[in-house]
Amino acid sequence: MGSKLKLLVAGALMLCMAQLYAQQPNDLDAYIKRLRHSLATGGSETAFMSVGSDFLYAQDYLEAGNYSSAEYSFASIVRAHPEHAFANYQYAVSLMKQKDPEKAKLAQQLFQKAIELEPSLKARYEKDMPAKVAAEPKKPVTPNKPPAEAAPAKPETIATGLDAYISQLKHSYATGGKETQMFAPGQEAIQGILYYEKGEYSSAETRFSLSLSVDPENPYANYLKAVSLAAQGKEAEAKTYYQKAVAGDKALAARYKGDVASGKAKWNKLQASKVVKTTPAKKVTYGGALVYGNYACDQSVWNGPNVSPAYRYDYKGYFALKKDGTYRWLDDGGTGKYSYNAKTGVITWLSGPMKGKGPKASKYQKGTTVAQVTVEFNGFSWNCGCNK
């Protein structure tokens, strides 16, 4: 009886564990929720250096919109745990969010693998990635024929030609491929291509030179450097690189003339856009009908180096212009006479306090809301304004 009882208890425990496992949610949202609960309660699923801890770290980047960091973090999980369905899926989402065609290609492979590993993700994929964003990943084909009768696999297509070379480097750059890894010639070549496509041929030339220092015989790097030089008007310097390029791929000769013409147009447009267009200062117009009234004067004084504000405005007093050709300085500062030339705006102080101050010139401008008289002395001036 004892052994039978033990067997019954063991069977019951196994059944309970199976039911408990079956109750564990296996969709992505529930997985994330479970990890966050584990993190909040000190659970083992998110312990230090655990995959759960790494997943939440990457997930936080994704939710914050830092898609490149999320990509890097999810990629690290997938390298260590290639069968982790949710990491594959979120890695793909991180790539798609960056709207890079080359990253999207890798994302489709990851979506396919994630759905194979966890079929419940298919419904989520259709919601997260509508048709306008990404096509549904292809389902794995199960051959009906025995393995011996199955059609042979197609050989991998090897990129050829300039356009294929550029496409291959872009894909490698977007997906962390070996062609653009550190110290590879493609590392500098792809940077050159990015500059090249924006018409920044001087920077492109530098990058292609660095690439050619590692792989001097590459026909496409030589070609792109030749076009970059010719686009800047350095046709003689470009000739050597063009000849080396055509020696490696004769098809490049047919497109060189057109690429150079297009490059020159881009370069000239870019240089024109860099020219700083200055608007000439509005010409000050002096003269016109004189506004009579009180003109308050101040002097702009420099406060010295490294002082903020750099200038202060010291009040100097006021004068009152009267229609009868006389003026008064302050309330009790004396009176005098002046003359005014409406054509030139020149005010001449004929007598009184203003004549005694010895200004070099005094000019009137009518302004929009404030009439102004600029009184010039040796090395400084007063700006005197009268509200209309």
Side-chain angles (χ1 to χ4, degrees):
M1 286 294 290
S3 60
K4 287 183 179 181
L5 181 59
K6 288 181 180 179
L7 287 172
L8 286 171
V9 171
L13 285 171
M14 290 179 67
L15 179 61
C16 288
M17 289 178 67
Q19 289 176 341
L20 181 63
Y21 181 79
Q23 290 171 0
Q24 290 292 324
N26 61 357
D27 62 277
L28 178 55
D29 288 333
Y31 175 67
I32 294 171
K33 184 177 180 181
R34 193 172 79 234
L35 290 182
R36 294 206 183 282
H37 177 73
S38 172
L39 182 65
T41 58
S44 61
E45 199 169 7
T46 50
F48 180 65
M49 298 292 287
S50 66
V51 65
S53 174
D54 291 342
F55 189 96
L56 281 185
Y57 189 74
Q59 183 66 25
D60 287 341
Y61 275 131
L62 181 60
E63 292 178 5
N66 189 343
Y67 302 124
S68 60
S69 295
E71 171 199 345
Y72 178 82
S73 299
F74 281 121
S76 296
I77 297 173
V78 170
R79 281 195 295 271
H81 306 276
E83 304 305 310
H84 196 300
F86 298 141
N88 275 277
Y89 187 89
Q90 295 297 68
Y91 180 13
V93 171
S94 303
L95 291 166
M96 291 298 295
K97 290 289 187 180
Q98 295 176 67
K99 298 179 181 180
D100 184 318
E102 298 304 324
K103 289 181 185 289
K105 293 176 184 177
L106 176 59
Q108 290 302 315
Q109 299 172 23
L110 293 165
F111 278 133
Q112 180 178 329
K113 183 171 183 179
I115 292 171
E116 289 173 10
L117 292 167
E118 180 50 68
S120 68
L121 288 170
K122 186 175 186 298
R124 184 186 182 97
Y125 170 82
E126 292 169 353
K127 178 183 175 183
D128 289 347
M129 298 293 151
K132 66 179 180 179
V133 177
E136 182 178 348
K138 297 178 181 179
K139 297 178 181 178
V141 178
T142 304
N144 294 324
K145 298 179 182 180
E149 299 178 19
K154 293 182 179 180
E156 183 180 352
T157 303
I158 299 174
T160 58
L162 177 62
D163 293 333
Y165 168 76
I166 292 172
S167 178
Q168 186 177 6
L169 287 186
K170 283 185 176 181
H171 182 73
S172 174
Y173 183 64
T175 59
K178 63 181 180 180
E179 293 92 342
T180 49
Q181 287 179 352
M182 188 175 290
F183 304 122
Q187 181 193 27
E188 296 295 345
I190 186 60
Q191 296 301 322
I193 288 167
L194 297 177
Y195 282 124
Y196 180 94
E197 292 180 342
K198 290 187 286 188
E200 297 180 10
Y201 296 113
S202 178
S203 297
E205 172 198 339
T206 300
R207 293 292 189 162
F208 292 131
S209 296
L210 293 171
S211 177
L212 289 170
S213 69
V214 181
D215 183 12
E217 302 305 316
N218 186 293
Y220 307 116
N222 275 285
Y223 180 83
L224 292 170
K225 180 172 180 178
V227 174
S228 299
L229 287 165
Q232 299 173 72
K234 304 176 183 177
E235 286 87 351
E237 193 176 342
K239 187 175 180 181
T240 300
Y241 299 98
Y242 168 71
Q243 290 173 340
K244 187 173 279 192
V246 173
D249 184 350
K250 292 181 172 57
L252 294 170
R255 61 181 295 168
Y256 184 68
K257 186 176 180 180
D259 286 345
V260 170
S262 175
K264 284 185 175 182
K266 270 187 179 181
W267 175 255
N268 291 335
K269 184 177 180 180
L270 181 65
Q271 299 316 299
S273 71
K274 293 179 180 179
V275 176
V276 178
K277 296 179 181 179
T278 57
T279 303
K282 188 176 180 180
K283 186 178 179 180
V284 177
T285 302
Y286 294 100
L290 186 63
V291 173
Y292 304 105
N294 295 341
Y295 285 77
C297 304
D298 60 48
Q299 178 183 341
S300 176
V301 180
W302 184 49
N303 286 325
N306 304 317
V307 177
S308 180
Y311 290 87
R312 70 179 186 274
Y313 299 93
D314 291 349
Y315 176 66
K316 295 298 180 180
Y318 77 92
F319 55 81
L321 295 180
K322 297 182 180 180
K323 193 174 182 179
D324 62 1
T326 64
Y327 73 92
R328 185 185 74 251
W329 175 249
L330 303 177
D331 292 339
D332 54 359
T335 60
K337 292 184 178 181
Y338 72 91
S339 65
Y340 173 62
N341 187 324
K343 289 185 178 180
T344 63
V346 172
I347 294 176
T348 303
W349 309 104
L350 301 174
S351 62
M354 289 301 293
K355 179 177 176 64
K357 294 181 185 298
K360 293 175 61 180
S362 298
K363 285 189 174 182
Y364 169 81
Q365 58 190 97
K366 61 182 181 179
T368 304
T369 59
V370 178
Q372 179 175 316
V373 175
T374 302
V375 184
E376 297 179 1
F377 297 92
N378 286 321
F380 64 95
S381 62
W382 290 359
N383 292 314
C384 308
C386 175
N387 292 325
K388 293 183 178 181

